[in-house]
Amino acid sequence: MRALTDETFAEAITGDAVLVEFTAAWCPPCRMIEPVLAELDAELESVSFAKIDTDAHPRTARDLGIMGMPTLQLYRRGELVAQLVGARPKAQLMKWLEPHL
């Protein structure tokens, strides 16, 4: 999973399908979802996975109004197409992603 910064975020989301996790080191649900996202990253060739630490890079989260973590945002060519707040099991994440694949 690619680590993003405030400076690299805008360019990173221009791909065909990019899932970004907004995360923080102090967030237990974020730690719970990390292995699930790593599995999906390995399985789904059609989606690029990235994450941004909102403590280290707060500007992007602030500009997008991210209030809860983890927040997952799916982008297609720079446009936000889906958002999910909170940790979910793998099956639920796949069900959420499927309409956008």
Side-chain angles (χ1 to χ4, degrees):
M1 190 177 319
R2 179 178 172 197
L4 303 179
T5 67
D6 286 331
E7 292 74 27
T8 62
F9 180 83
E11 183 180 334
I13 63 170
T14 61
D16 285 338
V18 182
L19 185 132
V20 178
E21 176 198 13
F22 291 83
T23 187
W26 52 263
C27 170
C30 298
R31 290 191 297 272
M32 289 173 42
I33 201 171
E34 285 286 326
V36 175
L37 293 175
E39 282 183 38
L40 291 174
D41 188 15
E43 294 173 9
L44 299 174
E45 293 180 15
S46 61
V47 180
S48 298
F49 286 75
K51 65 181 177 178
I52 186 165
D53 183 322
T54 59
D55 287 336
H57 306 284
R59 185 180 72 222
T60 300
R62 181 193 66 229
D63 291 352
L64 295 173
I66 304 296
M67 301 297 288
M69 278 172 266
T71 292
L72 303 177
Q73 290 190 333
L74 182 65
Y75 289 88
R76 283 202 169 279
R77 296 173 202 90
E79 297 294 323
L80 178 64
V81 295
Q83 178 172 295
L84 182 69
V85 179
R88 302 288 195 287
K90 184 178 176 182
Q92 286 183 4
L93 289 177
M94 278 302 299
K95 190 173 182 177
W96 174 71
L97 280 171
E98 280 176 356
H100 307 287
L101 300 179

